[in-house]
Amino acid sequence: MCPSGFPNVIGAIDCTHVPIKAPPGPNEGDFVNRKGFHSVNVQMVCDSMFHITNVEAKWPGSVHDSRIFRESHLCTLFERGDFDGILLGDRGYACRQYFMTPFPEPNPGPQTRYNAALARTRARIEMTFGQLKGRFQCLKSLRVAPDRACDIIVACAILHNIATIRKERTPVVGVQPDDDLQPVHLDQPSGRAARDRIVEHHFSI
């Protein structure tokens, strides 16, 4: 995917909140996210060309990014060994053998270079979110029921890919602010070992 030093990157992953109107019923509170508005929390993966290669649009705004990935079909496929490559994500996810995240407190040198390269590469998913919402202004606030909102989000992702393949005009996207998710500290030992190997082999020069 990238020239930043990571081997065999399949994509960058993150979640983005799409605001919706408050749904009626007892589950209304589930859709209130940590910023206090109703939303659907949508997981996406993109490649180096800003194509959306995976989308998971079904979770209420209160659900944490790490849970969305953990319970996704994509996670099942990676756990089963169906992919030969890695995902890049932020500290809102646990580090796994196939899922690289930043060092929380990097040492100077290789770990710092690793974190910088990961941040540069992972920025593509934030830019993809910006392009998607720039192309489809409706995603700034969907005044429909949650299930309908999810259908619209997936349709917009498909249309975004078509526009990208056809090299249509790309919306001007400002720098997307980093999210303020609480870091996940349940890194898997195999994930930390894989991250250390990548640092040793690709960022120690």
Side-chain angles (χ1 to χ4, degrees):
M1 170 185 176
C2 67
S4 299
F6 286 92
N8 207 16
V9 175
I10 290 176
I13 185 171
D14 204 357
C15 288
T16 187
H17 286 270
V18 175
I20 62 171
K21 71 175 182 179
N27 297 325
E28 175 267 335
D30 293 343
F31 289 88
V32 178
N33 61 35
R34 66 191 179 284
K35 295 184 179 179
F37 62 87
H38 295 82
S39 68
V40 175
N41 196 7
V42 184
Q43 174 183 283
M44 292 188 184
V45 179
C46 78
D47 65 14
S48 62
M49 302 303 294
F50 305 103
H51 299 136
I52 297 169
T53 58
N54 181 270
V55 57
E56 182 101 357
K58 66 178 184 181
W59 291 93
S62 64
V63 180
H64 195 282
D65 295 5
S66 60
R67 179 186 171 192
I68 293 175
F69 176 72
R70 193 170 61 246
E71 298 192 17
S72 69
H73 182 59
L74 182 64
C75 180
T76 299
L77 294 177
F78 269 99
E79 290 287 341
R80 203 166 63 190
D82 286 10
F83 294 111
D84 180 22
I86 60 174
L87 294 171
L88 300 181
D90 61 21
R91 291 182 61 203
Y93 298 93
C95 184
R96 300 167 183 257
Q97 190 169 2
Y98 53 80
F99 196 133
M100 294 297 103
T101 62
F103 287 94
E105 297 179 356
N107 295 325
Q111 290 185 4
T112 297
R113 289 195 291 272
Y114 163 95
N115 273 16
L118 189 149
R120 287 194 303 271
T121 308
R122 202 191 66 78
R124 290 187 177 275
I125 187 63
E126 302 296 344
M127 294 175 67
T128 300
F129 290 153
Q131 291 180 12
L132 180 68
K133 293 178 180 180
R135 279 194 166 106
F136 303 102
Q137 297 290 311
C138 64
L139 297 182
K140 293 183 177 180
S141 183
L142 288 172
R143 310 296 295 174
V144 295
D147 56 346
R148 180 63 174 158
C150 293
D151 291 340
I152 292 171
I153 293 164
V154 172
C156 288
I158 294 170
L159 292 172
H160 163 84
N161 282 351
I162 293 172
T164 302
I165 291 169
R166 294 176 59 178
K167 302 186 186 307
E168 295 184 2
R169 184 185 64 83
T170 302
V172 177
V173 178
V175 176
Q176 300 294 304
D178 286 338
D179 214 339
D180 57 357
L181 279 181
Q182 288 295 316
V184 170
H185 298 291
L186 299 178
D187 291 342
Q188 296 183 355
S190 61
R192 290 196 297 268
R195 183 169 61 188
D196 289 343
R197 286 194 299 271
I198 289 175
V199 168
E200 179 181 358
H201 294 149
H202 298 276
F203 294 96
S204 295
I205 298 175

